[in-house]
Amino acid sequence: MDSFYTRTQKELKSAGEKAGTSQELLKRLLKYDNTLEFDIPLNKKDGSMQIIKGYRLQHNNILGPYKGGLRYHPDVTLDEMQALSLLMTLKNAVIDVPFGGGKGGLKIDPKSLTGDELEELTREFTRHLAKYIGPEKDVPAPDVNTNPKIMSWIMDEYSKVVGKNTPAVVTGKSVDLGGSEGRTEATGYGGTYALLSVLKHINKKPQDLTVAVQGFGNVGQYAAQSLQKAGFNVVAISDSRGGIYIPEGLPSVEVIAKCKTEKGYLAGCYCIGSVCDIKNKEKVGGQDISPEDVLTLPVDIIVPAALENVITMKNANDIKASIILEMANGPMTVEAEEILNKKGVLIIPDILANSGGVAVSYFEWYQNIHNEHWTKAVVLAKLKEKMEKAVDKVYETHKKEKETLSLAAYIVALRRLQEVAIDHKII
Ligand code: NAD
């Protein structure tokens, strides 16, 4: 199996041929502007010192400052950061925001740290990054295991280093520190808007469709909530420790989310009204499922919203859904995608489906730069409009050029990058 980065490069090359991308631009996109690697010292509470690997990959800035999340996870590698930052360049082009692509992270399980250690590690990482980031240079955001609190520490530490309050250095901050209303929900809600737009093109209605969601963090939780509110029958959800499946449909996802917050995990959150307990399982006709089982349930739509490479040759043939909404980045291997394409499964690709996060990150950066504060209703209306526009463009390309939605999204991104590169005489 190709590595995540090799696979993304191959996809880029093949889309480049179809899109008529100039060799000069392709060559640039197959390389990196900057690869930053750090050894970050962490003084642990027990008196010991640990060195944590940190990365920031600045892939390409043809469209504007580098932009992309920071991930804290024990499996973070350079290869993963390379793939994800390249995907960010393409995603920002598809959703049409003036940002280039970047990604970064720390190779650490944040759950193994105390709150103070996590804050100190984040501040130390920020001091290492400070020279390379900034509102006009590179603007990080939340990703797996990072959140508004972590973004607010980064903003605070960066502001100390440069000697002035600089909210626009990161997005996804808490609202009281300059974060945008609606940023927390943006990626999940954006996925629902994208799915609804696609369904309009294929004449399907949410009320007729069942959904299973893998991952119940920032993205999965708000995707599940908004899908349920839009009328889809959400029947299963899972996190890394397991999940629940109720064939008739889950009760309020919001109530289940509260149960997860209280317990720390989803398994056993069988809720009747506000009472959530494993004892209710039989009463609601529920079944416990593993994090992997959720992808092969007999449903119409699956929504991988956890990590990459979860759909592979091993489980692709067992997938029963006819639509996949890729909310995680890179959730399927090339081989799995080939199998699913042959089966006629409609795959709404990551760079389109989860671009709502960076769309609202752009709104946040814009509000910070212009000293504005938009209401949640305004932010969500603008998000919806942006998602619909991007879906229409990708769908039109998919139909016109008889390519999959995934390839069509790459083609749209590459053409936009080429237009801007020519306009600015970069190529
Ligand atoms: P998160 O840390 O908030 O949540 C991750 C969730 O995945 C958790 O519920 C975790 O328990 C679950 N999980 C981990 N391993 C799993 C497994 N093997 N099976 C089932 N569940 C598992 O992260 P997030 O911000 O929600 O990001 C999820 C995905 O969405 C990532 O691929 C990320 O790159 C992508 N994404 C995030 C954003 C954003 O705005 N946060 C934007 C675009 C894309």
Side-chain angles (χ1 to χ4, degrees):
M1 188 172 86
D2 285 334
S3 77
F4 189 9
Y5 179 45
T6 306
R7 162 182 128 207
T8 316
Q9 282 183 308
K10 279 188 183 166
E11 282 167 355
L12 178 75
K13 277 189 212 157
S14 112
E17 279 168 29
K18 302 256 160 66
T21 308
S22 83
Q23 283 307 312
E24 209 181 332
L25 177 60
L26 259 188
K27 244 192 223 164
R28 245 187 109 144
L29 295 174
L30 288 165
K31 288 197 305 207
Y32 276 79
D33 288 355
N34 299 301
T35 302
L36 308 169
E37 283 187 61
F38 309 101
D39 287 325
I40 317 278
L42 168 68
N43 294 312
K44 302 268 289 182
K45 210 173 148 214
D46 63 9
S48 65
M49 207 248 265
Q50 202 181 334
I51 301 290
I52 318 281
K53 197 85 206 156
Y55 298 96
R56 185 70 184 168
L57 269 284
Q58 297 176 326
H59 174 251
N60 183 280
N61 64 355
I62 288 178
L63 296 182
Y66 305 104
K67 180 99 191 80
L70 291 176
R71 175 176 292 201
Y72 289 3
H73 196 279
D75 296 339
V76 160
T77 59
L78 180 61
D79 183 275
E80 179 189 51
M81 295 291 113
Q82 288 174 314
L84 291 171
S85 61
L86 191 159
L87 285 176
M88 280 309 299
T89 299
L90 301 173
K91 187 184 304 182
N92 293 337
V94 170
I95 194 68
D96 195 15
V97 290
F99 288 129
K103 199 83 184 186
L106 291 174
K107 194 174 179 61
I108 181 80
D109 178 4
K111 292 184 197 105
S112 69
L113 304 177
T114 65
D116 287 347
E117 287 169 348
L118 182 63
E119 177 172 353
E120 191 35 46
L121 178 63
T122 300
R123 288 185 183 275
E124 187 60 36
F125 188 26
T126 309
R127 291 190 284 273
H128 280 72
L129 283 172
K131 253 203 288 190
Y132 309 99
I133 60 175
E136 306 299 329
K137 275 192 219 165
D138 183 351
V139 186
D143 192 67
V144 174
N145 290 332
T146 56
N147 54 32
K149 200 175 182 185
I150 292 177
M151 295 305 116
S152 301
W153 290 332
I154 296 176
M155 180 200 98
D156 183 59
E157 194 60 36
Y158 178 85
S159 298
K160 277 186 197 154
V161 174
V162 298
K164 72 173 179 181
N165 187 34
T166 315
V169 65
V170 279
T171 57
K173 305 172 287 287
S174 36
V175 174
D176 56 340
L177 292 173
S180 178
E181 303 283 353
R183 173 61 185 89
T184 307
E185 301 89 340
T187 311
Y189 280 27
T192 298
Y193 296 146
L195 177 60
L196 288 169
S197 294
V198 169
L199 293 184
K200 265 193 210 153
H201 286 283
I202 58 173
N203 290 320
K204 287 197 176 189
K205 292 202 175 66
Q207 288 73 14
D208 304 329
L209 302 166
T210 51
V211 185
V213 181
Q214 184 195 49
F216 203 67
N218 172 264
V219 178
Q221 189 185 130
Y222 287 105
Q225 275 182 28
S226 54
L227 288 164
Q228 195 178 53
K229 280 196 189 130
F232 293 91
N233 188 8
V234 179
V235 295
I237 46 181
S238 76
D239 64 17
S240 60
R241 295 166 74 173
I244 56 175
Y245 171 40
I246 305 178
E248 291 300 305
L250 300 179
S252 162
V253 174
E254 262 175 274
V255 175
I256 299 174
K258 273 191 200 132
C259 170
K260 164 157 175 153
T261 309
E262 276 159 28
K263 288 206 315 181
Y265 52 90
L266 259 181
C269 279
Y270 293 104
C271 305
I272 299 179
S274 59
V275 181
C276 300
D277 200 276
I278 185 77
K279 288 185 210 125
N280 292 334
K281 184 163 98 176
E282 262 143 50
K283 286 186 211 152
V284 299
Q287 293 168 36
D288 297 338
I289 45 166
S290 76
E292 295 74 34
D293 287 346
V294 74
L295 298 171
T296 51
L297 290 173
V299 294
D300 300 301
I301 303 172
I302 53 169
V303 183
L307 292 173
E308 55 262 18
N309 292 337
V310 290
I311 303 177
T312 63
M313 266 166 80
K314 280 193 195 140
N315 61 358
N317 275 312
D318 299 328
I319 286 177
K320 294 161 195 84
S322 57
I323 299 177
I324 301 180
L325 180 68
E326 291 191 329
M327 294 305 291
N329 285 307
M332 70 179 70
T333 63
V334 178
E335 296 81 6
E337 193 170 347
E338 274 168 19
I339 294 172
L340 292 162
N341 282 334
K342 275 192 195 133
K343 280 171 65 169
V345 175
L346 187 68
I347 301 163
I348 307 174
D350 49 5
I351 60 168
L352 176 64
N354 70 28
S355 61
V358 78
V360 175
S361 273
Y362 165 59
F363 300 157
E364 179 172 329
W365 178 84
Y366 182 97
Q367 290 171 79
N368 292 156
I369 301 261
H370 295 89
N371 207 11
E372 293 179 11
H373 184 88
W374 304 348
T375 63
K376 194 170 188 171
V378 167
V379 171
L380 294 182
K382 284 179 188 285
L383 170 65
K384 186 164 178 279
E385 196 186 318
K386 237 179 171 4
M387 297 305 300
E388 287 172 353
K389 220 169 152 186
V391 167
D392 287 349
K393 181 93 190 141
V394 170
Y395 201 86
E396 188 189 297
T397 308
H398 150 74
K399 280 282 153 199
K400 210 160 142 190
E401 315 215 1
K402 297 188 175 43
E403 299 293 356
T404 61
L405 283 179
S406 306
L407 199 53
Y410 269 63
I411 292 173
V412 168
L414 286 169
R415 291 196 178 140
R416 189 157 284 142
L417 280 157
Q418 180 140 315
E419 250 169 54
V420 175
I422 291 171
D423 273 1
H424 290 92
K425 302 195 170 36
I426 293 169
I427 57 168

